[in-house]
Structure formats: C-alpha cells, structure tokens
Amino acid sequence: MPHIVIEYAAVLRQQLDIGELVSKVHKGAIASGLFNPDAVKTRAYACDDYLLGQGDANDFIHIRMSIMPGRSDSQKQQLTQSVWQAMSALAADVSCVSVEVAELHQPSYLKQEH
C-alpha cells in the first residue's frame, strides 16, 4: 500500500515524459517514509475526454493515493507534500495539478497475491 493512480490529460503526452512523472510520484511516495517501498504501486491513465471548469484550463494531472486507514492527518499531509515536491517541477506548466490521499474501506478491500 498505497495504490497511486495518476490521471492526466492525454494532450500532456506531447509535453511531458509520462514515465518520468510516474517515477517521480512513485519515488515521492517512498520518500515519505510511510510505506515499505516494495508495497508502493503507481500507474497512470490518460484521459482523452474531459471538461475543466468553463474551459479556461486545457490540461490537468490528478494524483489519488489510496491507503489503508490508520494514518494521521499529519502523515497524510506528509505524503501529499513528499509527492508534490517530487513531481511539481516536472508539471510546472500544467494548468491544474491536484493530489489527494483517500482511505480505502478496509472491510471491503480484498487483495490476493501469488
């Protein structure tokens, strides 16, 4: 844990190295010191169809980090800041960048490993 999902405007493929973005976010989560590095999972998905506000912004990055319950607000802020610091320079020209931490519903979460 955590599961990190990066959603981004597909047009950003032309100006950003998405693999580098994934790497920076992944390393930022590890650098937070809150997780076993082997447990961090990061992936990115391009969005071809989206609307942003009144149309003033034309691109975005949204990072959602899903974690198990039990972390304090301070630890969640630490995670957000660590990821932000790791990737913000890369995304400096993106119209809208957001990062969130969400808690999974532990009773309904199922994980199977082989």
Side-chain angles (χ1 to χ4, degrees):
M1 202 54 59
H3 287 282
I4 303 171
V5 177
I6 304 166
E7 294 179 328
Y8 64 93
V11 298
L12 289 175
R13 287 187 191 125
Q14 298 168 10
Q15 69 189 68
L16 293 180
D17 179 338
I18 301 303
E20 183 181 4
L21 175 64
V22 170
S23 179
K24 287 186 178 296
V25 169
H26 191 84
K27 289 175 182 175
I30 291 170
S32 74
L34 297 172
F35 310 102
N36 173 342
D38 292 333
V40 179
K41 301 158 194 75
T42 307
R43 53 207 176 264
Y45 299 101
C47 297
D48 290 308
D49 302 306
Y50 56 89
L51 295 172
L52 301 173
Q54 297 291 316
D56 297 334
N58 59 3
D59 56 25
F60 73 93
I61 296 172
H62 178 70
I63 302 166
R64 181 183 177 102
M65 298 176 283
S66 299
I67 64 173
M68 288 300 224
R71 305 283 182 182
S72 68
D73 285 346
S74 176
Q75 288 173 311
K76 292 174 190 174
Q77 289 172 340
Q78 176 183 341
L79 175 57
T80 300
Q81 289 302 314
S82 184
V83 168
W84 182 263
Q85 288 174 345
M87 56 74 61
S88 62
L90 181 64
D93 294 329
V94 177
S95 299
C96 182
V97 180
S98 55
V99 181
E100 74 170 312
V101 175
E103 287 189 348
L104 293 166
H105 182 249
Q106 192 167 8
S108 64
Y109 179 75
L110 175 65
K111 178 180 178 180
Q112 179 180 351
E113 293 183 290
H114 297 278

